[in-house]
Amino acid sequence: MNNNEIDTVSVDLWERAKTIYLSTLRNDEERSQAENYFSMISSISLIDDILTIFVKTRFGAEYLQEKYADKLKLSLDLAGAKKETILEFKFDPRSNTQIIQPVTPKATVETLQVQQPAASVKPQVPFISTLPLEENYTFEEFVQGSSNSWAFAAAKGVANNPGQKSYNPLFIHGGTGLGKTHLMQAIGNELKKKNPSMSICYLTAETFLNEYVNALQQKGMESFRDKYRSIDVLLVDDIQFLQKGKQCQEEFFNTFNDLTWKHKQIVMTSDVSPKNLPALEERLISRFIGGMVQEIEAPGYETRLAILKKKAENLIPSIPQSTLEFLADNIKSHVRAMEGALAKVHVTISINPTQELTQEFLSIILKDFIEKEQTLKKLTIREIQECICKKYGVSIGQILSSDRTASLVTPRQLAMYISRKYTTKSLQEIAAEFDKKHATILHGVKTIEKRLDVEGELKGILAEVLGEFGYNIADKME
Ligand code: ADP
Ligand code: MG
């Protein structure tokens, strides 16, 4: 077999696998998303049963590897690849331009520029490394209520008029599972619908941080900067992660200034208000609050019922009103838990469609959800403090004091951690019960979080304390 033949075999294989994979996707949205990523491929090589797909950006390579490698493996098998073929996506640092070079001029190595389809049906949208937007996260699917009406109105305002000073940046904060990501992506979806050529970038602050570190290591700062400064709308989810990187904050600050100066829209979400991000630079915080800050709170009964109704519309259109009411009555902590309970009902009646959904029956199948809610409701911060004091042999007074002796700091911070992660209490309530500032609580929580990663003994104590409340570590609220 000569080299040309090998080349053709390898690219054909990839093209076939790609076609098979694309044909399995449910809708145009997913297909164009995947095609968008596949268009970043610069070359392919097959060496010793390893099919390496080179990608023009590091982010693209990482994203393809994480999101598509496993799924494509099956398509590759179906396309006739050898069973032992391994598929991997790699960043090709040399392919900043469209000119593709062969990988290695070895006889057994083959490389070929991937042919892009000659005439693409869709208009070419400039590629930005954005995470995909969830297509159901739209304004239409979002149920308004008093707990979220301001955040909703602000998000709508941004979608109608991006870049307008009074909404720029928009900062949405609130507890886990209350709809922050949904609302942020609804802005992206709406803008994309209205103006397909608009470059919208959605990512988490963690992704931004990782990309920044990569750019530093690979000396790719310039293209990193160019990329983020050339977009129209920047949606950064979970901005609290930015606290992890001091240097990256500087870069974000510059990007932020550059974009707002050009009247480009920025939207951010966080689990706490901007003022409660202690490890974030002051100047960033003052920028964040310079636009509009809105909070989403836990929904009340009426809103919970309306959300359940909306979610059931597609899943179980025939669900009795009494079942929705039972769910709204019993599951209150966050919308994600409500969706989980609804899914449980769905599965149960799919298996047994004639089953009557009595209160007794619902109580049994939703036992886990309801128990969790009740425990969350029952658990007071005082109980947590008392339990910890007993375990460590210290007094409540010592826990509430400002004494920084090491033997007091750990139990104090552990109690803060449990209060924050295993109850629905707000930061304000926790701070009041510990007689401390918000920042002190958050610092305590972060410290324990880090220590738990490496300290088995501390994890053991946490499990014991939680166990006394009939809880386990995995019951965390987020
Ligand atoms: P957060 O980002 O605040 O943790 P998400 O946006 O991920 O929460 O929301 C969790 C789930 O709850 C999502 O499936 C979302 O669609 C749903 N959800 C939250 N609030 C609402 C709402 N008001 N209307 C409809 N769905 C909601
Ligand atoms: Mg979120």
Side-chain angles (χ1 to χ4, degrees):
M1 199 187 271
N2 67 33
N3 268 347
N4 267 348
E5 274 170 328
I6 303 170
D7 284 344
T8 323
V9 169
S10 135
V11 174
D12 276 357
L13 183 63
W14 164 246
E15 287 294 328
R16 272 202 306 279
K18 192 171 82 175
T19 311
I20 291 170
Y21 176 68
L22 291 173
S23 71
T24 64
L25 297 178
R26 280 178 296 141
N27 54 42
D28 288 348
E29 178 84 8
E30 280 184 33
R31 254 189 303 279
S32 74
Q33 199 104 53
E35 278 169 350
N36 210 0
Y37 275 97
F38 295 156
S39 73
M40 295 297 288
I41 293 169
S42 58
S43 59
I44 301 174
S45 92
L46 181 64
I47 311 168
D48 299 338
D49 292 331
I50 300 178
L51 184 68
T52 308
I53 317 273
F54 289 95
V55 183
K56 293 177 201 164
T57 68
R58 178 170 302 281
F59 177 84
E62 282 172 3
Y63 190 77
L64 279 163
Q65 181 68 34
E66 191 181 313
K67 186 89 179 175
Y68 292 104
D70 285 349
K71 294 177 187 160
L72 278 161
K73 179 71 180 81
L74 182 64
S75 308
L76 209 58
D77 291 347
L78 293 171
K82 279 205 248 165
K83 244 179 82 197
E84 48 279 11
T85 306
I86 294 171
L87 174 68
E88 64 172 7
F89 290 94
K90 268 196 175 158
F91 170 47
D92 180 1
R94 291 163 303 177
S95 67
N96 286 333
T97 65
Q98 295 297 328
I99 305 152
I100 316 299
Q101 302 294 329
V103 183
T104 323
K106 266 208 258 169
T108 52
V109 175
E110 41 164 323
T111 307
L112 222 148
Q113 179 171 355
V114 176
Q115 298 298 313
Q116 299 299 332
S120 179
V121 209
K122 293 195 173 148
Q124 277 298 305
V125 176
F127 184 87
I128 328 154
S129 52
T130 171
L131 296 174
L133 296 176
E134 180 73 47
E135 64 178 297
N136 294 329
Y137 286 179
T138 59
F139 288 121
E140 292 75 31
E141 293 293 323
F142 193 87
V143 176
Q144 282 184 75
S146 55
S147 58
N148 59 37
S149 58
W150 288 102
F152 181 87
K156 269 279 197 192
V158 166
N160 289 334
N161 211 345
Q164 202 199 51
K165 206 160 179 278
S166 48
Y167 292 115
N168 204 13
L170 171 62
F171 192 105
I172 301 173
H173 67 99
T176 313
L178 295 182
K180 301 182 298 294
T181 299
H182 185 137
L183 217 41
M184 170 180 258
Q185 293 205 7
I187 298 173
N189 277 322
E190 179 94 357
L191 285 170
K192 208 168 68 171
K193 196 167 74 185
K194 283 191 195 154
N195 186 355
S197 66
M198 192 174 231
S199 48
I200 299 164
C201 179
Y202 166 80
L203 79 177
T204 66
E206 202 166 24
T207 309
F208 185 85
L209 187 65
N210 290 340
E211 267 196 65
Y212 170 77
V213 172
N214 278 338
L216 270 185
Q217 285 168 352
Q218 308 295 327
K219 305 205 182 342
M221 233 24 234
E222 210 170 317
S223 55
F224 176 85
R225 261 178 211 140
D226 287 351
K227 185 175 86 182
Y228 285 106
R229 292 176 195 190
S230 64
I231 58 188
D232 297 317
V233 180
L234 179 61
L235 308 172
V236 190
D237 214 350
D238 295 317
I239 197 86
Q240 69 271 9
F241 282 113
L242 216 54
Q243 295 185 104
K244 286 187 183 170
K246 274 268 171 269
Q247 244 180 308
C248 180
Q249 289 181 25
E250 166 88 28
E251 187 54 38
F252 188 76
F253 182 73
N254 294 332
T255 304
F256 186 101
N257 287 341
D258 189 85
L259 289 176
T260 44
W261 182 72
K262 291 188 285 202
H263 305 291
K264 305 296 186 187
Q265 180 69 45
I266 298 172
V267 183
M268 290 167 285
T269 73
S270 159
D271 58 355
V272 289
S273 83
K275 288 182 180 157
N276 289 321
L277 291 165
L280 220 55
E281 276 184 44
E282 198 53 48
R283 57 184 181 155
L284 263 179
I285 293 171
S286 72
R287 283 288 194 287
F288 289 176
I289 56 180
M292 179 164 288
V293 179
Q294 292 296 353
E295 182 175 6
I296 301 188
E297 291 173 342
Y301 178 79
E302 295 301 328
T303 312
R304 290 203 297 278
L305 196 58
I307 293 174
L308 284 160
K309 222 174 214 153
K310 182 102 200 165
K311 301 276 172 193
E313 263 169 23
N314 299 322
L315 203 61
I316 342 172
S318 60
I319 194 167
Q321 176 72 11
S322 59
T323 306
L324 294 177
E325 286 168 5
F326 179 89
L327 291 172
D329 253 337
N330 287 284
I331 298 171
K332 305 175 180 171
S333 56
H334 49 74
V335 182
R336 203 172 280 133
M338 287 159 48
E339 285 179 333
L342 205 54
K344 182 88 192 233
V345 174
H346 178 227
V347 170
T348 311
I349 57 176
S350 307
I351 297 167
N352 186 0
T354 55
Q355 173 67 50
E356 207 187 320
L357 298 173
T358 60
Q359 297 238 342
E360 291 71 33
F361 181 73
L362 289 169
S363 305
I364 295 167
I365 63 164
L366 300 172
K367 188 166 153 275
D368 289 350
F369 289 95
I370 295 166
E371 267 178 9
K372 190 158 175 177
E373 293 283 327
Q374 284 169 347
T375 322
L376 291 174
K377 221 167 43 191
K378 270 204 318 238
L379 205 59
T380 66
I381 297 173
R382 191 62 172 201
E383 280 173 321
I384 296 169
Q385 290 168 341
E386 278 167 359
C387 186
I388 291 273
C389 284
K390 217 163 79 201
K391 187 120 258 134
Y392 280 86
V394 297
S395 71
I396 290 274
Q398 286 174 309
I399 287 276
L400 300 186
S401 75
S402 312
D403 188 338
R404 287 165 179 273
T405 314
S407 59
L408 290 177
V409 171
T410 297
R412 183 182 299 133
Q413 292 185 333
L414 190 57
M416 290 172 177
Y417 177 86
I418 297 174
S419 306
R420 179 87 176 129
K421 298 288 178 181
Y422 293 87
T423 76
T424 49
K425 300 283 185 293
S426 71
L427 194 60
Q428 278 81 349
E429 288 172 274
I430 300 172
E433 297 233 21
F434 278 89
D435 196 19
K436 298 278 176 302
K437 294 206 172 95
H438 297 171
T440 312
I441 306 292
L442 288 172
H443 171 73
V445 173
K446 285 258 139 44
T447 309
I448 294 294
E449 214 157 35
K450 279 190 204 136
R451 288 181 57 188
L452 285 172
D453 277 344
V454 287
E455 290 181 41
E457 202 189 341
L458 188 65
K459 208 165 182 171
I461 295 173
L462 173 67
E464 271 175 43
V465 174
L466 290 173
E468 298 206 10
F469 298 113
Y471 242 52
N472 62 54
I473 288 187
D475 288 332
K476 210 158 65 162
M477 301 281 297
E478 46 174 303

